[in-house]
Amino acid sequence: MSFLETFGALTLIYILVRLATFIYQILCPLRVDIKKFGEWALITGSTDGIGKAYAIELAKRDFNVILISRTKEKLEQVAKEIQTKYSNTQVKIISIDFTKDNSIYSRIREEIHGIDIGVLINNVGISYEYPESFDKVEENEKFLNNMIRCNVDSVANLTQIILPDMIKKRRGLIVNISSISGRRPTPLLGLYSGTKGFIDLFSRSLAAECISRGVYIQSLCPGYVVSKLSGIRKASLIAPTPEKFVVSALDRITLPFTTGYWTHEIQEFIQSLLPEFLSNKIAMHVLSGVRAKALKKRNKGQ
Ligand SMILES: NC(=O)c1ccc[n+]([C@@H]2O[C@H](COP(=O)([O-])OP(=O)(O)OC[C@H]3O[C@@H](n4cnc5c(N)ncnc54)[C@H](OP(=O)(O)O)[C@@H]3O)[C@@H](O)[C@H]2O)c1
């Protein structure tokens, strides 16, 4: 075989492997019965958006649910909504602000002591008010602490609290919600992208450690979903409602990494083919536009 023939054959193999992986990700042929993981599911950030949709969908699938979020009134409202729909479901609420110091984890530990948690959804997360250069973000120090505590510390600490029991029982599922922005650099959302990058690598590493011990761990990296955080109000092919997104993501729990939704899978695949300098240029252009629009709207409101 000549050098060119060898190069061509290797390129073809690479393309076929990438395509096969992409098709596997979309179809996810391996399914498991989620109910076998345990009696209770714990969801952080469960009073809005994706977290609320997980709480309602898991209650529908016969889990008792522990809801953790910041605002007590909203927690009570979601608990009531779940119990009205699914009267046999037990709901426990814990009001916690994840931007506070690490003492919150002792309280969570006490509150969930003795409960058989089979599913943990580490969903809570905050982002920028609008895209901005890291050095120009207002109240930079507070912003940095809050985002690392909420997006990074919450995932690592709750996993540390709940995983050992799952391993002992040789069953369980942990879904850690990263983002498509955690898969590669996202200029003007640098800190968010960095926190989500942590979640992605942390989860995929733990997934490899834990799969032989009966526990599934997933890095879930969505693209846009309708929510307060995304600022998208109307559902589309690219941005599904949280309810539609969660049903799709729950069909893919055996994948250590997934975007959770078929159009996001295509988006991730295309982005992964682009050289980094090009995807950075495109992201910078698009997010500068979003920034300019947000600032214009803000200035009008003042
Ligand atoms: N939506 C998207 O397009 C998208 C895309 C990729 C990844 N994600 C990720 O998905 C996750 C959920 O996003 P979302 O769009 O559903 O968000 P969302 O609609 O803004 O909901 C956020 C939830 O988190 C709670 N929360 C916020 N700050 C908190 C804090 N400091 N302490 C405790 N709870 C707090 C909120 O409770 P309160 O109501 O009490 O504030 C609310 O229940 C995030 O990790 C996000 O990064 C979202």
Tab-separated table of all heavy atoms in Angstrom, residues 70 97-99 123-129 142-151 191-192 195-196 229:
chain	number	residue	atom	x	y	z
A	70	ARG	N	-33.566	27.432	45.786
A	70	ARG	CA	-33.330	28.580	46.660
A	70	ARG	C	-34.627	29.082	47.339
A	70	ARG	O	-34.654	29.319	48.529
A	70	ARG	CB	-32.733	29.697	45.803
A	70	ARG	CG	-32.236	30.881	46.531
A	70	ARG	CD	-31.509	31.793	45.580
A	70	ARG	NE	-32.097	31.794	44.230
A	70	ARG	CZ	-31.553	32.385	43.191
A	70	ARG	NH1	-30.424	33.036	43.323
A	70	ARG	NH2	-32.145	32.349	42.016
A	97	ASP	N	-29.485	27.860	49.288
A	97	ASP	CA	-28.870	28.725	48.278
A	97	ASP	C	-27.457	28.185	48.019
A	97	ASP	O	-26.593	28.237	48.898
A	97	ASP	CB	-28.823	30.168	48.796
A	97	ASP	CG	-28.253	31.121	47.759
A	97	ASP	OD1	-27.600	30.648	46.804
A	97	ASP	OD2	-28.457	32.343	47.905
A	98	PHE	N	-27.230	27.665	46.817
A	98	PHE	CA	-25.943	27.030	46.512
A	98	PHE	C	-24.783	28.021	46.355
A	98	PHE	O	-23.652	27.602	46.140
A	98	PHE	CB	-26.066	26.152	45.256
A	98	PHE	CG	-26.748	24.839	45.521
A	98	PHE	CD1	-28.059	24.618	45.123
A	98	PHE	CD2	-26.081	23.817	46.185
A	98	PHE	CE1	-28.697	23.416	45.372
A	98	PHE	CE2	-26.710	22.603	46.448
A	98	PHE	CZ	-28.021	22.401	46.044
A	99	THR	N	-25.070	29.332	46.435
A	99	THR	CA	-23.952	30.279	46.372
A	99	THR	C	-23.356	30.494	47.779
A	99	THR	O	-22.375	31.210	47.932
A	99	THR	CB	-24.370	31.646	45.776
A	99	THR	OG1	-25.362	32.223	46.619
A	99	THR	CG2	-24.906	31.500	44.375
A	123	ASN	N	-28.638	19.537	38.679
A	123	ASN	CA	-29.101	20.428	37.610
A	123	ASN	C	-28.808	21.900	37.878
A	123	ASN	O	-28.622	22.671	36.940
A	123	ASN	CB	-30.619	20.217	37.447
A	123	ASN	CG	-31.299	21.352	36.717
A	123	ASN	OD1	-31.236	21.449	35.493
A	123	ASN	ND2	-31.944	22.261	37.452
A	124	VAL	N	-28.719	22.279	39.171
A	124	VAL	CA	-28.662	23.716	39.455
A	124	VAL	C	-27.477	24.371	38.732
A	124	VAL	O	-26.393	23.798	38.630
A	124	VAL	CB	-28.603	23.998	40.982
A	124	VAL	CG1	-27.267	23.643	41.596
A	124	VAL	CG2	-28.964	25.438	41.273
A	125	GLY	N	-27.727	25.557	38.207
A	125	GLY	CA	-26.657	26.264	37.496
A	125	GLY	C	-27.064	27.698	37.226
A	125	GLY	O	-28.248	28.005	37.062
A	126	ILE	N	-26.067	28.596	37.229
A	126	ILE	CA	-26.340	29.993	36.868
A	126	ILE	C	-25.384	30.388	35.749
A	126	ILE	O	-24.342	29.764	35.557
A	126	ILE	CB	-26.206	30.955	38.085
A	126	ILE	CG1	-24.849	30.752	38.796
A	126	ILE	CG2	-27.342	30.762	39.053
A	126	ILE	CD1	-24.610	31.725	39.956
A	127	SER	N	-25.784	31.430	35.021
A	127	SER	CA	-24.931	31.878	33.905
A	127	SER	C	-24.743	33.386	33.964
A	127	SER	O	-25.075	34.021	34.976
A	127	SER	CB	-25.572	31.457	32.577
A	127	SER	OG	-24.711	31.795	31.512
A	128	TYR	N	-24.226	33.976	32.908
A	128	TYR	CA	-24.040	35.427	32.830
A	128	TYR	C	-25.409	36.097	32.606
A	128	TYR	O	-26.301	35.490	32.007
A	128	TYR	CB	-23.156	35.779	31.629
A	128	TYR	CG	-21.689	35.441	31.749
A	128	TYR	CD1	-21.257	34.178	32.127
A	128	TYR	CD2	-20.731	36.405	31.427
A	128	TYR	CE1	-19.904	33.877	32.192
A	128	TYR	CE2	-19.374	36.120	31.492
A	128	TYR	CZ	-18.968	34.849	31.882
A	128	TYR	OH	-17.638	34.555	31.937
A	129	GLU	N	-25.508	37.341	33.037
A	129	GLU	CA	-26.722	38.106	32.717
A	129	GLU	C	-26.746	38.347	31.207
A	129	GLU	O	-27.785	38.308	30.574
A	129	GLU	CB	-26.667	39.428	33.484
A	129	GLU	CG	-27.986	40.128	33.577
A	129	GLU	CD	-27.823	41.511	34.172
A	129	GLU	OE1	-26.926	41.715	35.020
A	129	GLU	OE2	-28.605	42.394	33.757
A	142	LYS	N	-17.640	38.603	43.328
A	142	LYS	CA	-18.871	37.957	43.801
A	142	LYS	C	-19.385	37.012	42.701
A	142	LYS	O	-19.773	35.871	42.971
A	142	LYS	CB	-19.898	39.055	44.096
A	142	LYS	CG	-21.169	38.541	44.700
A	142	LYS	CD	-22.051	39.703	45.099
A	142	LYS	CE	-23.456	39.213	45.375
A	142	LYS	NZ	-24.438	40.272	45.206
A	143	PHE	N	-19.360	37.499	41.470
A	143	PHE	CA	-19.816	36.727	40.312
A	143	PHE	C	-19.034	35.416	40.210
A	143	PHE	O	-19.608	34.332	40.041
A	143	PHE	CB	-19.589	37.616	39.076
A	143	PHE	CG	-19.749	36.933	37.754
A	143	PHE	CD1	-21.006	36.677	37.237
A	143	PHE	CD2	-18.637	36.569	37.008
A	143	PHE	CE1	-21.156	36.052	36.011
A	143	PHE	CE2	-18.770	35.944	35.787
A	143	PHE	CZ	-20.042	35.686	35.280
A	144	LEU	N	-17.725	35.519	40.365
A	144	LEU	CA	-16.853	34.343	40.254
A	144	LEU	C	-17.151	33.321	41.362
A	144	LEU	O	-17.363	32.141	41.100
A	144	LEU	CB	-15.403	34.807	40.320
A	144	LEU	CG	-14.334	33.746	40.170
A	144	LEU	CD1	-13.257	34.261	39.231
A	144	LEU	CD2	-13.680	33.361	41.460
A	145	ASN	N	-17.232	33.825	42.618
A	145	ASN	CA	-17.513	32.917	43.744
A	145	ASN	C	-18.857	32.243	43.592
A	145	ASN	O	-18.987	31.033	43.773
A	145	ASN	CB	-17.501	33.692	45.069
A	145	ASN	CG	-16.078	33.891	45.538
A	145	ASN	OD1	-15.218	33.048	45.303
A	145	ASN	ND2	-15.817	35.014	46.175
A	146	ASN	N	-19.872	33.047	43.258
A	146	ASN	CA	-21.226	32.498	43.138
A	146	ASN	C	-21.290	31.411	42.071
A	146	ASN	O	-21.873	30.358	42.282
A	146	ASN	CB	-22.229	33.597	42.776
A	146	ASN	CG	-22.556	34.469	43.975
A	146	ASN	OD1	-22.124	34.175	45.088
A	146	ASN	ND2	-23.296	35.531	43.761
A	147	MET	N	-20.666	31.687	40.925
A	147	MET	CA	-20.794	30.723	39.832
A	147	MET	C	-20.027	29.433	40.124
A	147	MET	O	-20.510	28.342	39.850
A	147	MET	CB	-20.362	31.310	38.486
A	147	MET	CG	-20.954	30.448	37.380
A	147	MET	SD	-20.677	31.006	35.730
A	147	MET	CE	-21.513	32.543	35.674
A	148	ILE	N	-18.872	29.558	40.735
A	148	ILE	CA	-18.112	28.334	41.040
A	148	ILE	C	-18.823	27.524	42.132
A	148	ILE	O	-18.955	26.310	42.032
A	148	ILE	CB	-16.652	28.665	41.395
A	148	ILE	CG1	-15.961	29.133	40.105
A	148	ILE	CG2	-15.918	27.447	41.975
A	148	ILE	CD1	-14.516	29.462	40.211
A	149	ARG	N	-19.352	28.214	43.134
A	149	ARG	CA	-20.071	27.488	44.198
A	149	ARG	C	-21.316	26.797	43.639
A	149	ARG	O	-21.586	25.638	43.943
A	149	ARG	CB	-20.492	28.451	45.309
A	149	ARG	CG	-19.327	28.793	46.219
A	149	ARG	CD	-19.747	29.765	47.292
A	149	ARG	NE	-18.670	29.985	48.247
A	149	ARG	CZ	-18.709	30.859	49.213
A	149	ARG	NH1	-19.767	31.635	49.357
A	149	ARG	NH2	-17.704	30.996	50.044
A	150	CYS	N	-22.064	27.533	42.835
A	150	CYS	CA	-23.342	26.995	42.344
A	150	CYS	C	-23.132	25.926	41.263
A	150	CYS	O	-23.781	24.874	41.284
A	150	CYS	CB	-24.159	28.161	41.791
A	150	CYS	SG	-25.878	27.776	41.591
A	151	ASN	N	-22.235	26.166	40.311
A	151	ASN	CA	-22.111	25.260	39.161
A	151	ASN	C	-21.131	24.110	39.398
A	151	ASN	O	-21.323	23.032	38.848
A	151	ASN	CB	-21.644	26.038	37.926
A	151	ASN	CG	-22.666	27.048	37.439
A	151	ASN	OD1	-23.641	27.335	38.133
A	151	ASN	ND2	-22.465	27.596	36.265
A	191	LEU	N	-16.360	32.004	32.050
A	191	LEU	CA	-16.439	31.337	33.355
A	191	LEU	C	-17.515	30.247	33.333
A	191	LEU	O	-17.325	29.148	33.853
A	191	LEU	CB	-16.745	32.372	34.458
A	191	LEU	CG	-16.692	31.805	35.875
A	191	LEU	CD1	-15.302	31.269	36.222
A	191	LEU	CD2	-17.119	32.840	36.900
A	192	TYR	N	-18.644	30.557	32.694
A	192	TYR	CA	-19.717	29.549	32.564
A	192	TYR	C	-19.187	28.329	31.817
A	192	TYR	O	-19.347	27.191	32.255
A	192	TYR	CB	-20.907	30.171	31.824
A	192	TYR	CG	-22.073	29.230	31.609
A	192	TYR	CD1	-22.912	28.874	32.669
A	192	TYR	CD2	-22.354	28.693	30.346
A	192	TYR	CE1	-23.987	28.018	32.479
A	192	TYR	CE2	-23.421	27.837	30.151
A	192	TYR	CZ	-24.237	27.505	31.224
A	192	TYR	OH	-25.304	26.642	31.022
A	195	THR	N	-16.904	26.286	34.038
A	195	THR	CA	-17.585	25.484	35.069
A	195	THR	C	-18.259	24.272	34.429
A	195	THR	O	-18.266	23.180	34.985
A	195	THR	CB	-18.641	26.309	35.856
A	195	THR	OG1	-19.651	26.772	34.953
A	195	THR	CG2	-18.022	27.486	36.571
A	196	LYS	N	-18.811	24.475	33.240
A	196	LYS	CA	-19.499	23.369	32.555
A	196	LYS	C	-18.486	22.346	32.022
A	196	LYS	O	-18.775	21.159	31.936
A	196	LYS	CB	-20.400	23.907	31.443
A	196	LYS	CG	-21.555	24.746	31.964
A	196	LYS	CD	-22.475	23.900	32.810
A	196	LYS	CE	-23.564	24.687	33.493
A	196	LYS	NZ	-24.472	23.856	34.280
A	229	LEU	N	-33.114	30.877	32.228
A	229	LEU	CA	-31.663	31.010	32.076
A	229	LEU	C	-31.271	31.275	30.626
A	229	LEU	O	-30.446	32.132	30.331
A	229	LEU	CB	-30.974	29.750	32.601
A	229	LEU	CG	-29.456	29.689	32.544
A	229	LEU	CD1	-28.906	29.046	33.808
A	229	LEU	CD2	-28.945	28.936	31.343
